[in-house]
């Protein structure tokens, strides 16, 4: 049985240190904010967007639906955790609409996975990370099948491939607001063409 209280109680002593490590791992390309997991919005309708209209990678990876937890199960899992790191990489919209997005998404997966490892080393041994995009497209596009979905198969990229944040119905617009990044964008309006900049998001649950 999961000891919710002990998970929650250990979730605050070294978080500032973890943020500094995360910023080093992100090497200037990420924004990191500590948020309460109770502020993470989960919506079934957003998770359903993986299958209606169907995503090209639906069912092709162990890190995508229908092989990952449902939004309800994810919401229940969030109860184990008190804090999370919200992580954002700003990306030109033109990149998001081209194959260039795969380079940035791979980087995001690598960054959140490294932060997850750093959190575990700090004693948050139940930390888990999630990142935008299907690992089938990002890491295994040249392979016909996800190896983890084959009999007794193991992931080809266990060090970096992480579950798709979209799969759980995480509302990234709310995440943006919770992390204070919406106001960030407003303050940059004078110098940046807002319409030309998008973002991709990751989460590291600290526990
Ligand atoms: S083998 Fe690993 S990286 Fe490749 S699609 Fe499956 S889960 Fe993703």
């Amino acid at each position: 049985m999961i000891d919710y209280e002990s998970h929650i109680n250990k979730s605050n002593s070294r978080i500032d240190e973890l943020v500094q490590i995360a910023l080093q791992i992100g090497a200037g390309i990420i924004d990191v904010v500590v948020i309460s997991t109770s502020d993470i919005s989960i919506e079934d309708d957003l998770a359903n967007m993986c299958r209606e209209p169907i995503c090209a990678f639906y069912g092709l990876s162990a890190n995508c639906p229908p092989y990952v937890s449902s939004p309800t199960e994810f919401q229940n899992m969030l109860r184990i955790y008190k804090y999370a790191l919200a992580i954002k990489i700003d990306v030109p919209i033109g990149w998001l609409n081209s194959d260039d997005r795969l380079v940035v998404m791979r980087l995001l997966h690598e960054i959140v996975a490294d932060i997850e490892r750093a959190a575990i080393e700090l004693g948050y041994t139940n930390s888990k990370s999630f990142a935008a995009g299907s690992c089938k497209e990002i890491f295994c596009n040249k392979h016909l099948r996800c190896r983890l979905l084959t009999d007794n198969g193991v992931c080809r990229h266990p060090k970096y491939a992480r579950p798709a944040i979209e799969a759980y119905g995480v509302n990234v617009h709310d995440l943006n607001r919770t992390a204070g990044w919406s106001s960030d964008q407003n303050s940059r309006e004078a110098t940046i063409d807002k319409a030309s900049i998008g973002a991709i998001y990751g989460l590291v649950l600290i526990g």
Side-chain angles (χ1 to χ4, degrees):
M1 189 173 143
I2 295 167
D3 180 355
Y4 291 96
E5 279 308 312
S6 75
H7 280 301
I8 288 172
N9 288 338
K10 75 174 179 180
S11 293
N12 48 19
S13 57
R14 302 186 74 182
I15 291 180
D16 288 346
E17 192 178 346
L18 180 60
V19 169
Q20 292 310 310
I21 294 170
L23 288 169
Q24 285 173 13
I25 290 170
I29 70 160
I30 63 167
D31 288 316
V32 183
V33 173
V34 180
I35 60 171
S36 166
T37 52
S38 61
D39 289 333
I40 298 173
S41 305
I42 306 296
E43 295 179 23
D44 287 348
D45 286 352
L46 292 174
N48 287 340
M49 289 172 75
C50 292
R51 56 184 168 84
E52 289 176 15
I54 194 161
C55 167
F57 297 93
Y58 180 85
L60 297 186
S61 157
N63 281 326
C64 286
Y67 302 109
V68 296
S69 307
S70 69
T72 302
E73 290 166 338
F74 187 77
Q75 184 95 64
N76 288 338
M77 189 183 75
L78 288 180
R79 290 177 46 225
I80 304 173
Y81 299 86
K82 189 170 185 184
Y83 297 110
L85 297 187
I87 292 157
K88 173 173 75 91
I89 299 180
D90 289 328
V91 187
I93 294 286
W95 290 21
L96 292 177
N97 292 328
S98 74
D99 285 348
D100 290 341
R101 75 186 185 288
L102 298 180
V103 176
V104 193
M105 285 178 168
R106 183 177 184 128
L107 200 53
L108 179 63
H109 277 247
E110 291 171 353
I111 287 169
V112 299
D114 279 342
I115 294 171
E116 174 192 288
R117 269 185 288 280
I120 289 169
E121 283 172 16
L122 285 179
Y124 301 113
T125 52
N126 284 293
S127 295
K128 291 187 192 311
S129 59
F130 306 84
S134 168
C135 61
K136 178 68 174 67
E137 182 182 29
I138 297 166
F139 293 93
C140 286
N141 216 2
K142 294 197 169 76
H143 297 277
L144 192 58
R145 297 197 60 196
C146 166
R147 202 160 72 183
L148 197 48
L149 290 179
T150 60
D151 289 343
N152 301 317
V154 291
C155 178
R156 295 184 187 91
H157 301 276
K159 190 173 177 189
Y160 291 124
R162 290 296 179 271
I165 193 172
E166 304 90 335
Y168 306 94
V170 174
N171 185 324
V172 295
H173 295 292
D174 283 355
L175 190 64
N176 222 24
R177 268 197 298 275
T178 298
W181 292 323
S182 307
S183 54
D184 228 30
Q185 285 185 346
N186 290 338
S187 66
R188 291 180 194 163
E189 264 181 344
T191 51
I192 295 177
D193 177 7
K194 198 175 159 189
S196 70
I197 299 293
I200 56 174
Y201 299 88
L203 266 184
V204 180
L205 304 181
I206 306 168

